């Protein structure tokens, strides 16, 4: 018929917009493939069997109480050979460790991480009692905390905190690095979410932020030796440990210099102490949650940094 439009061929099935949307998942997969490929070995390792503890040694600092005490008993029960470093090896915490573990694979030793001779003595003890699979892990757990605004604390206190929380961990790490490289072991550091903010304990925040930077550098450097470095970042577990006892406004005031007393008053100090103590009272009592993370760092085929 004159003027009639020519008939159009039928649309192919799967063509047009419908076909484009059908191919979208495949296109997305191709785009993501370069990002996914590096993760596949890690995902495979995460599904692998955990480490066999028998015949492997672990040294833990700060085992008098808190997380270190709980971890020493947990690792002993799992089958590790445990060297539990205690500041007071004759104290109640150390004696309780020995009672609960019994004779065998758990050894309590004196270890003040601020004293180089204690650290070297600990290394000699470990070397003389290494099990058949060698030295597997170092857990830098020892630490101290306190409350006080920046000007309230003496220079001596800043030096003490840096020596225990920062230099103490570095001191033990440097001593045991040769063993860790030899056995391709693990290094675990106790940090805190307080590394990222302060609640009136800036001195503690400072040392934890510093140790995390040390860990970040160490992790990259140790990768070529097969040594893995992990940071544990607990939240508020004040009631699970003895690291931070309740603070006394009266004691804080009595320790202030005359210059600081001229700036602040007792009411302000009491208000800040009340605030900090209220946070301590809200802390979790389940320290085993943190110990679970520490065990995973030591035993997982592919632990998180």
């Amino acid at each position: 018929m004159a003027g009639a439009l020519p008939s159009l061929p039928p649309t192919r099935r799967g063509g047009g917009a419908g076909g484009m949307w059908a191919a979208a998942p495949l296109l997305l997969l191709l785009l993501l493939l370069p990002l996914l490929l590096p993760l596949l070995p890690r995902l495979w390792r995460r599904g692998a069997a955990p480490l066999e503890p028998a015949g492997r040694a672990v040294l833990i600092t700060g085992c008098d109480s808190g997380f270190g005490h709980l971890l020493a008993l947990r690792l002993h029960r799992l089958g590790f050979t445990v060297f539990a470093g205690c500041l007071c090896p004759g104290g109640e915490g150390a004696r309780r460790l020995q009672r609960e573990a019994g004779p065998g694979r758990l050894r309590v030793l004196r270890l003040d991480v601020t004293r180089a001779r204690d650290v070297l003595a600990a290394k000699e003890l470990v070397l003389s009692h290494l099990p058949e699979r060698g030295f597997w892990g170092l857990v830098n757990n020892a630490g101290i905390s306190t409350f006080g605004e920046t000007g309230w604390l003496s220079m001596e206190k800043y030096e003490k905190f840096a020596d225990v929380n920062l230099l103490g961990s570095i001191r033990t790490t440097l001593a045991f690095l040769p063993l860790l490289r030899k056995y391709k072991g693990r290094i675990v550091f106790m940090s805190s979410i307080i590394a990222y903010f302060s609640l009136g304990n800036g001195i503690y925040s400072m040392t934890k932020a510093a140790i995390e930077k040390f860990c970040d550098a160490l992790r990259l450097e140790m990768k070529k030796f097969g040594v893995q470095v992990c940071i544990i970042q607990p939240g508020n577990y004040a009631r699970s440990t003895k690291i931070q006892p309740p603070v006394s406004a009266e004691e804080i005031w009595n320790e202030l210099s005359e210059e600081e007393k001229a700036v602040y008053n007792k009411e302000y100090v009491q208000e800040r102490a009340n605030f900090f103590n209220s946070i301590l009272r809200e802390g979790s009592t389940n320290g085993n949650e943190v110990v679970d993370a520490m065990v995973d760092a030591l035993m997982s085929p592919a632990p998180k940094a």
Side-chain angles (χ1 to χ4, degrees), residues 192-262:
S192 169
I193 60 168
I194 295 298
Y196 302 100
F197 58 89
S198 176
L199 293 171
N201 53 352
I203 191 171
Y204 185 68
S205 300
M206 173 193 74
T207 58
K208 292 305 181 182
I211 201 63
E212 291 212 2
K213 293 302 102 181
F214 174 77
C215 293
D216 290 343
L218 185 68
R219 183 182 303 109
L220 293 174
E221 295 163 4
M222 289 297 106
K223 190 173 182 180
K224 57 182 173 286
F225 299 107
V227 176
Q228 301 195 60
V229 178
C230 299
I231 299 171
I232 308 297
Q233 297 169 327
N236 184 1
Y237 285 85
R239 295 168 65 197
S240 303
T241 71
K242 294 181 179 179
I243 190 171
Q244 177 62 71
V247 299
S248 164
E250 189 67 26
E251 289 179 9
I252 294 169
W253 179 259
N254 291 338
E255 292 178 4
L256 292 184
S257 66
E258 293 305 316
E259 290 89 348
E260 293 300 307
K261 286 181 179 178

Side-chain angles (χ1 to χ4, degrees), residues 46-70:
R46 290 295 293 186
L51 179 87
E52 173 53 53
R56 300 182 194 269
V58 177
L59 172 70
I60 312 164
T61 68
C63 294
D64 301 79
S65 61
F67 301 135
H69 189 98
L70 293 173

Side-chain angles (χ1 to χ4, degrees), residues 3 11 28 58 81 85 96 98 108 120 173-174 176 202 244:
T11 303
L28 182 61
V58 177
T81 297
R96 191 166 66 251
Q98 291 175 318
V108 171
L120 292 177
T173 299
L174 294 180
F176 284 90
Q244 177 62 71

Side-chain angles (χ1 to χ4, degrees), residues 32-46 302:
L32 293 177
L33 197 57
L35 299 174
L36 294 173
L37 283 175
L39 297 177
L40 292 179
R42 179 180 176 84
L43 292 173
W44 178 82
R45 291 195 303 271
R46 290 295 293 186

Side-chain angles (χ1 to χ4, degrees), residues 290-305:
V290 179
V291 174
D292 290 344
M294 299 167 85
V295 170
D296 185 74
L298 289 166
M299 295 188 64
S300 169
K304 296 179 180 180

